[in-house]
């Protein structure tokens, strides 16, 4: 299998065939305390926020960088125009639950999309991870790390030699 053929196979793969199992995802319910979100973010780059584990309806995402807003005092956001969204995300500004700090409407991709679809969306929006959904239900995630692992697995299995 040549590199071009391997990449063609890779690009046409369905996301659902390579995404991790839903039970391995970093997920919290929308009413989870922020301290529990912080505990998860010690070892993860993001946490998905869902209505409930039963419905898995996607509410938002909290990225590691979002924690800056949580930790800053509210007066770090005071401008001449008054309150900002960042103020409301602060622990001292009143945020207590995951939904208070979650970024609403995270970027998603349908589970039947291809690797190429995911790569194009990641490039367009300059993100490293997408929520994989079936309708409004979170069923998985796809990240650049997962895609890299899958490409390397495919190259090894296919016996492709990559020469620069």
């Amino acid at each position: 299998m040549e590199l071009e053929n391997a990449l063609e196979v890779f690009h046409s793969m369905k996301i659902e065939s390579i995404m991790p199992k839903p039970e391995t995802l970093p997920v919290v319910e929308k009413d989870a305390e922020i301290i529990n979100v912080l505990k998860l973010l010690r070892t993860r780059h993001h946490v998905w926020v869902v209505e409930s584990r039963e419905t898995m309806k996607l509410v938002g995402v909290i990225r590691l960088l979002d924690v800056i807003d949580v930790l800053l005092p509210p007066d770090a956001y005071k401008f001449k125009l008054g309150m900002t969204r960042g103020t409301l995300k602060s622990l001292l500004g009143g945020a207590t639950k995951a939904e208070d700090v979650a970024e609403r409407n995270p970027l998603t991709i349908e589970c039947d999309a291809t690797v190429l679809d995911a790569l194009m969306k990641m490039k367009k929006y300059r993100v490293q991870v997408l929520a994989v959904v079936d309708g409004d239900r979170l069923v998985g995630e796809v990240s650049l790390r997962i895609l890299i692992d899958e490409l390397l697995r495919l190259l090894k299995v296919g016996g492709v030699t990559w020469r620069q």
Side-chain angles (χ1 to χ4, degrees):
M1 181 185 290
E2 293 180 21
L3 181 59
E4 285 181 29
N5 291 342
L7 284 171
E8 189 175 321
V9 168
F10 175 65
H11 289 151
S12 65
M13 295 176 82
K14 296 290 185 186
I15 294 299
E16 61 192 346
S17 71
I18 64 169
M19 67 184 189
K21 293 180 175 25
E23 56 271 13
T24 66
L25 298 179
V27 173
V28 295
E29 293 184 342
K30 67 180 184 174
D31 59 353
E33 292 184 22
I34 290 180
I35 197 78
N36 293 329
V37 173
L38 295 176
K39 287 176 183 177
L40 274 173
L41 287 171
R42 287 186 307 180
T43 59
R44 300 301 295 250
H45 292 272
H46 63 279
V47 174
W48 301 112
V49 180
V50 296
E51 282 278 333
S52 71
R53 290 194 178 269
E54 290 77 39
T55 67
M56 290 299 280
K57 182 178 178 187
L58 185 60
V59 171
V61 64
I62 302 170
R63 291 184 182 85
L64 187 57
L65 280 175
D66 296 334
V67 174
I68 294 170
D69 290 333
V70 173
L71 300 176
L72 280 172
D75 61 359
Y77 294 97
K78 288 189 179 169
F79 298 103
K80 293 180 180 170
L81 298 175
M83 302 289 273
T84 66
R85 175 106 168 97
T87 304
L88 303 174
K89 286 185 172 189
S90 168
L91 282 172
L92 294 175
T96 60
K97 298 182 166 122
E99 71 177 328
D100 296 337
V101 298
E103 178 185 315
R104 302 293 180 150
N105 306 312
L107 289 173
T108 62
I109 194 159
E110 289 289 329
C111 55
D112 62 349
T114 64
V115 166
L116 183 59
D117 296 331
L119 287 168
M120 296 297 288
K121 195 163 202 175
M122 288 174 171
K123 178 174 175 49
K124 180 177 181 178
Y125 294 102
R126 301 186 54 77
V127 297
Q128 299 175 17
V129 65
L130 299 170
V132 179
V133 294
D134 183 2
D136 62 358
R137 289 185 56 245
L138 178 68
V139 295
E141 69 182 17
V142 62
S143 67
L144 281 177
R145 187 166 282 124
I146 291 166
L147 295 177
I148 290 167
D149 286 347
E150 188 58 30
L151 176 63
L152 293 174
R153 186 197 66 76
L154 184 64
L155 292 175
K156 185 176 179 183
V157 169
V160 174
T161 304
W162 191 336
R163 293 191 179 112
Q164 290 183 314

